[in-house]
Amino acid sequence: MKSQGPLTIAKNSFANLMRFAVGVLAAAVLPPFLTRRLSHDMYAEWVLILQLGAYAAIFELGLQAAISKFVAQHHATQDHEGTSSVVSTSMALLTVSAACALIAVGVLVWQVPHLFGQLTPSLVHEVRLGILLIGGATALALPTTALASSFQGVQRYHVPMIIG
């Protein structure tokens, strides 16, 4: 197995740190900005949409860590067929999972008035649209986690960080 040089380790650590920093920055800056700019009802709608849309990520099923592990294992032994098999199988699984997530998002959008009866009629349409957009985008992105994980498995952490 080929050992990683200090430059590769430093570059991958920096990419992980930057990905983490962007998330922390967004989490620190966005809420104060939104609370000043939006009404109480609009802010509550925004938080509800983000929370419900994020549930689509559950359909990732924890495969990201497994994909990275098995891609790294096959890559270390120069087993290109094994690497291809892991990536293509995980893409297929995550595509099916994305379809299930889209169905779940659709059911959630349909049931918004029943689940959240306290929403004013004017907000129901906006919440439905927001959940459809955020949840749908999250669901549609699920198969791409197989590619991001495969880059991590071959010690190319910067590629998914730059794309993300």
Side-chain angles (χ1 to χ4, degrees), residues 42-53:
M42 292 292 285
Y43 181 73
E45 173 190 341
W46 177 249
V47 171
L48 179 66
I49 289 168
L50 289 179
Q51 286 301 113
L52 294 174

Side-chain angles (χ1 to χ4, degrees), residues 12 17 33-34 45-46 50 54 63 81 89 95 97 101 104 111 117 130 134 136 143 145 150-151 153:
N12 289 338
L17 183 63
F33 175 78
L34 291 176
E45 173 190 341
W46 177 249
L50 289 179
L63 288 175
E81 190 175 309
T89 301
T95 299
S97 189
Q111 291 296 316
I134 301 293
T145 61
S150 64
F151 279 113

Side-chain angles (χ1 to χ4, degrees), residues 4-164:
Q4 298 299 316
L7 182 61
T8 301
I9 293 170
K11 186 169 57 170
N12 289 338
S13 296
F14 180 75
N16 278 338
L17 183 63
M18 288 297 101
R19 184 176 51 173
F20 177 74
V22 168
V24 167
L25 184 64
V29 172
L30 197 55
F33 175 78
L34 291 176
T35 55
R36 285 190 205 110
R37 302 281 183 193
L38 300 177
S39 69
H40 175 73
D41 288 345
M42 292 292 285
Y43 181 73
E45 173 190 341
W46 177 249
V47 171
L48 179 66
I49 289 168
L50 289 179
Q51 286 301 113
L52 294 174
Y55 282 129
I58 291 171
F59 288 86
E60 189 262 333
L61 306 173
L63 288 175
Q64 197 167 16
I67 296 165
S68 294
K69 185 249 188 240
F70 287 111
V71 165
Q73 183 178 331
H74 290 297
H75 181 71
T77 60
Q78 302 289 320
D79 181 6
H80 302 298
E81 190 175 309
T83 301
S84 295
S85 176
V86 167
V87 174
S88 63
T89 301
S90 60
M91 287 279 291
L93 285 171
L94 287 165
T95 299
V96 170
S97 189
C100 293
L102 285 172
I103 291 168
V105 166
V107 169
L108 185 60
V109 166
W110 172 51
Q111 291 296 316
V112 161
H114 304 294
L115 295 171
F116 308 102
Q118 69 276 19
L119 286 176
T120 62
S122 62
L123 289 180
V124 168
H125 173 71
E126 291 180 15
V127 169
R128 281 180 159 169
L129 182 61
I131 292 170
L132 185 62
L133 291 174
I134 301 293
T138 302
L140 290 173
L142 286 173
T144 65
T145 61
L147 297 175
S149 299
S150 64
F151 279 113
Q152 290 173 345
V154 295
Q155 302 296 311
R156 304 270 189 229
Y157 286 58
H158 64 283
V159 175
M161 194 281 297
I162 290 169
I163 293 170

